[in-house]
Amino acid sequence: MLGDVETRSVSPVFVGRADELALLTDALTRAAGGEPQAMLIGGEAGVGKTRLTEEFLGEAARRGAVVAVGGCVEIGAEGLPFAPFSTALRTLHRELPEELAAAAAGQEGELARILPELGETPRGPHDEESTARLFELTARMLERLAAERLLVLVLEDLHWADTSTRHLLSYLFRTLGSGRLVVVATYRADDVHRRHPLRPLLAELDRLRTVQRIELPRFNRAEVRRQLAGILASQPEEDFVDSVFERSDGNAFFVEELVASRASGCRAGLTESLRDLLLVRVEVLPDEAQRVVRIVAEGGSTVEYPLLRAVAGLTEDELIEALRAAVGANILLATTDGDGYRFRHSLVREAVSDDLLPGERSRLNRHYAEALEADESLIRAEERVIRLANYWYQANDPAKSLPAVLAASVAARRRHAYSEQLRLLERAMDLWDSAPEDVREALRPADDTDVYPPCGCDPASTPLQRLDLLAEATVAARYGGERERALKITKTALRTLEDGHDPLRAAWFWTERSRLVAGLGRSDGWEEIAKAQELVRGLPPSQVHAEVLVRAAGWGMLHNPGPGNLEAAQRAVAYARMVGAEEVELNARITVGCLLTDAGTGEAGFTELRTVKDRATELGLTMLAGRAHINLTSQLESMGRSQEAVALAEEGAELVGRSRLFDTEAWVRGNMAESLYSLGRWDEATAAARRTLLVGQSAAPRGSASARLAYLALARGELTEAAHQLAAAHSHFGTHDTQPQHRIPLYRLAIGIAAGEGRIADVRAETAAAIAYGFPLGQHRYAWPLLLAAATAEADSRGLPAADAGRAAALDVLRAAARPLATPVPVWTAHAEYLRVELLRAEDRDTVADWTAVEAAARPLERPYLLARARHRLAEAMLAAGGCRDAAAALLRDAHATAGRLGSRRLREDLALLAQRARLPLTADTPPAPPEPETDPVEALGLTSRERDVLRLVAAGSTNRKIAEELFISPKTASVHVSNILAKLGVAGRGEAAALAHRLRLFAPLGPLSPRPEAAHRGV
């Protein structure tokens, strides 16, 4: 090739940039130690980004690093999807074929969307997690490649990057956690204006502490002088240095161009216009060379030699001579792989392209398009469709452009480049009216669209409509994370459908709109579903009709449980079967299975869910299989079958994890965390919940995970952490999420935290709000724990002055709320019994027989925390009634061991204090001490006599000033005593101290160890 033919205008001496180069080489050193590095290099065009990068890559090569470079391509519709990554990975595929094959093993089909050399790209699945799956696979492949070797990945010209490339780069910068890897991206800072799409990414990356950003300034006069000396191989005259520095303003590339113009005798180069300077160097070339340069300028960032030869229409000898002249003048360069040519600097290409006449530009693009249509082998197959679409579009030929753009949108979809697909679809809609009618009528939905179901028409023979493009664009925008744009597209479509000529299609758009408004937090989506239902009512069965019914039934199951949802879901199954839409049918059957379980026919529901799970797995419908796992595990937990739920969740997490269905995995692991909590495997539950937060992409599973972490913290006695996680859950769910399965547990947590802090008024307020919200059908699993927590708070607050007033009314409210709740399985029967006895305890009417019944109900449930709490209360009742001390001691030891294993500090301390006051050992080999009724329970907590007096007043709600008045001490001394008490009790505040004092009956006239008559009344 002609790579050695060059007039020297580049300094062989690397000028300046010592600090910047030091930062880059330091990144190499850290990466060699296994810490991935992310670097951004910015600067105006021509300032020296490429030269700095070349010096850095030279140093990397000397250290034995494997280097891969890819450049973003400036071509219509925001660029070629994943272009720099594809180029860089192609280099790695060439240099490390076996290693890359091993790193991609098992995921070749998915990764082929970025590196086609890995094999055939599968047609699906397409969903909102598709892009995230692809990004995760790419990141893990790079980490595996960099595990044993130093790897440097350079992505150039990020200002031209397509949306998918920007998103992938952001993902890598945020998630790379291991490997000897350096990722460097360069961009032209002066192109990044306020509305440039790269600007938000740069702002996001600036907030990441793991990303270093280097901004290259222009050269000062001394640096320009050194650059000139290097180019000229001699010291320049000072007048010449002044002139060049003034004209170039320190821009390294313009310095080179000014020297080159002077060397070639182009004195016109020293003009006011640097653009003219760039063009004048082209204009001194021979005519054929100028023509070839203009052809290359319009072909893109790089033009392959076979394509250039086809477009130029020259003999090979003539083309070689023209190229030799352009390369010799340092205008063009041969590409590193020897397959084509590019401009030495993009500024020259832009100047030449801008100088073309409009008709000249259209003609050149037409020649490029015709050449590609005539011979598909001229460029790489994965680039052909998008470049052909761009060439025809720039040729201003709608008849050719519309089909080409639609074909390019299909190709972008297959690569999961949904943002690029959307831009191409928008371009197609712009072309729609200007394309000839016969061209539009020849287009078919089967060829160019995928998302809107046929509904009675043959997609292979029915002409494509503009509404098909709007449907496709809606889903592309949703999959690409552009929900606002998708919402606007649905509005445009529904405006077109206002005349009622196509109710099915209107219903489809309303269903999409329901998803979007719910996802954006605008509403719960019901209004849109209701409109879709109205539109399909009375119409013959169709896939759209079935999808509307599934959506309505699913919404009702989550937001408004009731018998009508089961009927809608069963009708959806029937309609889907009639039209042969098996995927829709399976989705509807999942809803049916859940509703059957909620209605009390558990085994029928489980059978249906398992059947769907197995069928979806057989068909490769992993997302549907994942949804089946989510609902099966949830329903098993609802029935008290937590062991089965955990086993199934582990299976589901592995299944969806292999396919990188992140949100689905998050839901499965969130359900697993709930069941592990029930089983007392709290450390595993914590790990599962944190994994949910890590992989979850959307708000709802992350909110559920935060709620589960709040439950764990509350049970362990960590009230501050519980409150923090509850706030996080509220933040994730937002104000629009009205699902009972989310709202009721948050009320339960708020009640528990308020009770732990001694805020009985807030306990009652949260309880009232929860009861007013309601406990719909199937939500007893959340209602029983909530009512039990409220009743326990009432019982623990006996004797608290602020709690005595209004207690009777509060207990009546709890009894009334419990009466209609279902107890379909033993776990909820046990909760109902526990609630009944806690309400009696709140009235000081509980008996040993009552707590014996609670312990007996909890014993077979595999709910260790529930059982330990029941045994605590039973032992307390036995000791208070003067019962068998040996039996009470055995209960305390068992409950204390369980609390220690779980890590429940609060329960463990309560049990230890009860044992200490009763002088009972918590180890079996220690003989019990004889009871000492005179033992002061306050002293058992390590409090002094004065601190006991202060705690008594704190428990009564007194302020420091009131305490000082009562005890004849200063408020400051009272404050010191309160601080000491909080430290000794291990609580965070006065309310929590007061709650502890009343829970342990520290100041009750009759302590819980004093024998009292058995209460006879047991009814609720």
Side-chain angles (χ1 to χ4, degrees):
M1 294 295 289
L2 303 177
D4 296 331
V5 181
E6 183 175 328
T7 299
R8 193 176 86 176
S9 62
V10 179
S11 171
V13 178
F14 182 60
V15 177
R17 315 302 190 208
D19 292 341
E20 292 85 353
L21 185 59
L23 286 173
L24 290 166
T25 53
D26 182 56
L28 270 180
T29 303
R30 291 197 301 273
E35 182 184 350
Q37 300 295 302
M39 311 292 291
L40 283 171
I41 302 176
E44 68 178 14
V47 80
K49 299 182 295 296
T50 301
R51 185 64 188 275
L52 174 62
T53 303
E54 288 171 350
E55 291 292 324
F56 165 64
L57 293 180
E59 177 61 24
R62 285 189 290 275
R63 297 191 186 192
V66 178
V67 173
V69 180
C72 299
V73 179
E74 186 186 20
I75 189 170
E78 273 204 318
L80 192 65
F82 304 119
F85 285 102
S86 298
T87 303
L89 290 175
R90 193 171 288 117
T91 300
L92 296 177
H93 187 258
R94 190 165 54 244
E95 295 189 14
L96 303 169
E98 294 180 3
E99 293 87 345
L100 190 139
Q107 300 292 345
E108 292 88 350
E110 282 296 316
L111 288 167
R113 301 183 195 279
I114 293 182
L115 182 59
E117 284 82 351
L118 288 175
E120 284 294 317
T121 301
R123 292 189 62 85
H126 295 285
D127 52 64
E128 291 183 49
E129 298 183 45
S130 298
T131 304
R133 282 198 301 275
L134 180 59
F135 291 178
E136 171 70 7
L137 290 171
T138 305
R140 301 294 79 82
M141 180 180 69
L142 288 172
E143 284 186 343
R144 286 191 286 270
L145 275 174
E148 303 296 333
R149 63 190 59 80
L150 185 57
L151 183 63
V152 177
L153 187 69
V154 176
L155 309 173
E156 296 184 309
D157 299 323
L158 205 57
H159 51 281
W160 288 331
D162 57 284
T163 302
S164 296
T165 291
R166 293 195 300 271
H167 288 172
L168 176 52
L169 180 65
S170 172
Y171 187 88
L172 290 179
F173 278 1
R174 284 184 288 108
T175 63
L176 284 173
S178 64
R180 302 166 64 190
L181 177 66
V182 181
V183 181
V184 179
T186 71
Y187 65 95
R188 191 191 290 179
D190 49 328
D191 270 12
V192 185
H193 50 77
R194 188 171 61 86
R195 299 177 64 86
H196 194 284
L198 181 60
R199 194 178 184 92
L201 173 61
L202 294 177
E204 174 192 341
L205 297 180
D206 277 342
R207 292 190 291 270
L208 297 178
R209 290 181 298 174
T210 54
V211 179
Q212 291 191 72
R213 184 168 170 182
I214 300 172
E215 289 285 348
L216 297 186
R218 297 175 180 180
F219 283 163
N220 57 34
R221 186 184 184 283
E223 288 168 330
V224 168
R225 191 178 190 285
R226 288 179 58 202
Q227 184 186 8
L228 289 172
I231 295 172
L232 300 172
S234 63
Q235 290 300 320
E237 297 176 1
E238 293 303 318
D239 289 346
F240 182 58
V241 174
D242 289 339
S243 175
V244 171
F245 181 62
E246 180 184 351
R247 300 297 183 184
S248 67
D249 201 17
N251 183 289
F253 174 68
F254 287 131
V255 170
E256 295 169 357
E257 289 299 300
L258 287 164
V259 174
S261 295
R262 181 191 189 215
S264 60
C266 301
R267 298 297 175 182
L270 298 178
T271 65
E272 292 299 325
S273 171
L274 289 172
R275 178 176 171 276
D276 291 343
L277 163 66
L278 300 178
L279 288 176
V280 81
R281 291 232 297 119
V282 175
E283 290 167 356
V284 300
L285 294 174
D287 289 346
E288 287 296 351
Q290 288 187 49
R291 178 168 171 265
V292 168
V293 167
R294 286 194 292 272
I295 292 172
V296 174
E298 199 58 24
S301 300
T302 298
V303 178
E304 297 78 357
Y305 177 74
L307 177 60
L308 179 58
R309 184 180 175 189
V311 174
L314 300 173
T315 66
E316 188 158 17
D317 288 343
E318 291 171 336
L319 180 57
I320 291 293
E321 280 303 309
L323 287 169
R324 186 178 297 279
V327 171
N330 210 18
I331 302 296
L332 297 180
L333 295 175
T335 57
T336 54
D337 57 12
D339 290 340
Y341 292 87
R342 65 177 179 84
F343 279 83
R344 188 177 78 82
H345 201 285
S346 57
L347 284 173
V348 182
R349 183 177 69 81
E350 291 165 14
V352 174
S353 181
D354 289 346
D355 198 51
L356 293 174
L357 298 173
E360 189 179 12
R361 177 176 290 107
S362 298
R363 180 173 56 82
L364 285 175
N365 277 280
R366 175 176 291 277
H367 288 168
Y368 272 113
E370 289 171 344
L372 285 181
E373 286 190 340
D375 186 352
E376 295 184 358
S377 67
L378 294 176
I379 63 174
R380 289 190 180 90
E382 71 270 15
E383 295 184 14
R384 179 182 176 277
V385 177
I386 180 66
R387 286 176 63 179
L388 182 63
N390 187 64
Y391 289 144
W392 277 125
Y393 184 77
Q394 298 297 337
N396 296 318
D397 188 337
K400 286 284 193 177
S401 182
L402 178 60
V405 167
L406 288 173
S409 75
V410 174
R413 175 181 168 86
R414 293 197 65 181
R415 300 187 73 177
H416 290 171
Y418 301 114
S419 294
E420 285 64 53
Q421 181 197 10
L422 175 61
R423 304 295 175 265
L424 288 161
L425 288 166
E426 289 174 330
R427 178 172 285 184
M429 287 185 277
D430 288 341
L431 291 165
W432 187 261
D433 291 333
S434 56
E437 186 176 351
D438 60 323
V439 171
R440 295 200 304 266
E441 290 183 352
L443 299 171
R444 296 291 178 265
D447 298 326
D448 300 311
T449 58
D450 189 48
V451 301
Y452 183 75
C455 295
C457 64
D458 180 7
S461 60
T462 305
L464 184 74
Q465 301 181 46
R466 191 171 185 274
L467 282 166
D468 290 311
L469 302 185
L470 288 167
E472 202 76 16
T474 298
V475 176
R478 178 160 60 86
Y479 287 173
E482 299 183 53
R483 287 175 175 163
E484 289 286 1
R485 179 64 188 135
L487 205 58
K488 291 178 181 177
I489 296 170
T490 61
K491 186 176 182 180
T492 299
L494 289 168
R495 192 181 300 121
T496 305
L497 292 161
E498 282 178 342
D499 60 3
H501 72 279
D502 195 342
L504 274 183
R505 200 178 289 265
W508 185 91
F509 278 107
W510 279 116
T511 305
E512 280 295 308
R513 202 169 168 81
S514 170
R515 286 192 183 94
L516 292 165
V517 295
L520 288 167
R522 303 284 176 77
S523 76
D524 58 16
W526 175 248
E527 182 181 348
E528 291 74 16
I529 294 172
K531 289 178 179 177
Q533 283 185 296
E534 186 63 32
L535 285 163
V536 299
R537 186 170 288 117
L539 296 179
S542 66
Q543 184 172 333
V544 168
H545 201 155
E547 288 177 349
V548 170
L549 291 173
V550 172
R551 182 80 178 160
W555 187 96
M557 178 178 71
L558 296 175
H559 295 83
N560 187 28
N565 298 318
L566 180 58
E567 179 189 350
Q570 289 171 332
R571 240 183 339 133
V573 171
Y575 282 19
R577 281 178 180 161
M578 288 180 195
V579 298
E582 186 172 11
E583 188 171 346
V584 177
E585 177 196 337
L586 292 173
N587 195 27
R589 287 174 64 186
I590 292 174
T591 304
V592 168
C594 294
L595 293 169
L596 286 172
T597 307
D598 288 344
T601 53
E603 286 308 317
F606 288 137
T607 299
E608 183 76 337
L609 288 168
R610 287 194 177 96
T611 301
V612 173
K613 172 181 73 71
D614 294 341
R615 178 59 177 163
T617 303
E618 177 188 342
L619 294 175
L621 301 172
T622 310
M623 179 162 276
L624 262 181
R627 184 177 176 234
H629 276 93
I630 293 168
N631 287 280
L632 256 173
T633 52
S634 176
Q635 295 297 339
L636 284 168
E637 175 63 23
S638 178
M639 301 295 282
R641 294 158 65 173
S642 302
Q643 294 281 15
E644 292 177 63
V646 169
L648 191 65
E650 289 171 343
E651 171 195 303
E654 182 181 355
L655 173 70
V656 299
R658 285 197 303 268
S659 297
R660 300 301 195 272
L661 295 172
F662 297 114
D663 261 4
T664 307
E665 181 186 350
W667 279 117
V668 173
R669 291 193 182 277
N671 288 352
M672 185 193 302
E674 182 179 4
S675 296
L676 288 168
Y677 171 84
S678 297
L679 293 169
R681 294 159 61 180
W682 287 3
D683 288 342
E684 294 174 74
T686 300
R690 295 204 181 283
R691 173 67 182 172
T692 300
L693 286 173
L694 182 65
V695 302
Q697 304 291 302
S698 57
R702 294 171 63 82
S704 294
S706 293
R708 186 52 46 199
L709 289 171
Y711 269 104
L712 286 158
L714 183 61
R716 286 171 167 150
E718 300 165 357
L719 295 181
T720 302
E721 175 65 11
H724 170 72
Q725 293 294 348
L726 175 58
H730 274 295
S731 176
H732 288 309
F733 287 131
T735 58
H736 68 285
D737 193 327
T738 60
Q739 296 183 40
Q741 65 174 335
H742 298 154
R743 290 285 295 276
I744 299 173
L746 299 189
Y747 282 125
R748 156 69 184 96
L749 287 166
I751 290 168
I753 293 167
E757 294 175 348
R759 296 183 283 109
I760 192 65
D762 290 340
V763 168
R764 290 171 182 169
E766 292 289 348
T767 303
I771 293 171
Y773 173 78
F775 306 133
L777 178 68
Q779 304 304 310
H780 54 272
R781 63 185 292 188
Y782 306 114
W784 282 120
L786 182 147
L787 296 178
L788 178 57
T792 301
E794 292 290 348
D796 286 344
S797 66
R798 273 185 302 142
L800 186 66
D804 288 340
R807 174 171 290 113
L811 299 183
D812 288 343
V813 167
L814 293 173
R815 287 189 171 99
R819 288 192 191 100
L821 291 182
T823 54
V825 290
V827 66
W828 306 123
T829 303
H831 274 76
E833 182 69 4
Y834 203 148
L835 172 64
R836 181 186 69 80
V837 180
E838 280 288 25
L839 291 170
L840 291 174
R841 185 167 74 93
E843 298 168 330
D844 200 20
R845 296 192 296 126
D846 55 315
T847 69
V848 172
D850 289 322
W851 287 112
T852 300
V854 174
E855 194 272 346
R859 194 184 314 135
L861 295 179
E862 294 187 319
R863 294 289 192 274
Y865 183 51
L866 186 72
L867 180 59
R869 288 161 54 205
R871 286 179 170 169
H872 171 215
R873 292 303 174 201
L874 175 56
E876 183 181 52
M878 292 173 69
L879 293 168
C884 177
R885 288 172 56 80
D886 288 343
L891 289 168
L892 286 175
R893 283 195 298 270
D894 183 86
H896 189 265
T898 299
R901 186 173 64 254
L902 295 175
S904 178
R905 179 178 63 86
R906 170 176 168 172
L907 179 57
R908 190 171 64 249
E909 290 175 351
D910 287 358
L911 290 161
L913 182 60
L914 179 58
Q916 183 180 21
R917 294 171 63 193
R919 300 184 63 79
L920 291 174
L922 289 174
T923 55
D925 55 354
T926 304
E932 293 185 6
E934 299 303 320
T935 299
D936 187 344
V938 179
E939 289 184 4
L941 292 170
L943 301 183
T944 66
S945 175
R946 174 60 82 186
E947 287 168 349
R948 176 186 56 197
D949 295 336
V950 172
L951 179 57
R952 184 190 299 273
L953 292 169
V954 168
S958 298
T959 64
N960 286 351
R961 182 174 295 279
K962 181 68 174 175
I963 292 170
E965 292 173 357
E966 288 282 338
L967 301 180
F968 302 101
I969 58 178
S970 71
K972 184 176 181 180
T973 302
S975 174
V976 171
H977 282 310
V978 170
S979 297
N980 290 338
I981 291 168
L982 298 183
K984 289 181 179 181
L985 297 182
V987 295
R990 302 167 70 95
E992 199 173 339
L996 178 66
H998 285 280
R999 192 173 77 246
L1000 300 181
R1001 296 288 179 267
L1002 298 182
F1003 305 114
L1006 290 175
L1009 304 186
S1010 302
R1012 58 185 171 85
E1014 286 282 312
H1017 182 63
R1018 293 184 56 190
V1020 173

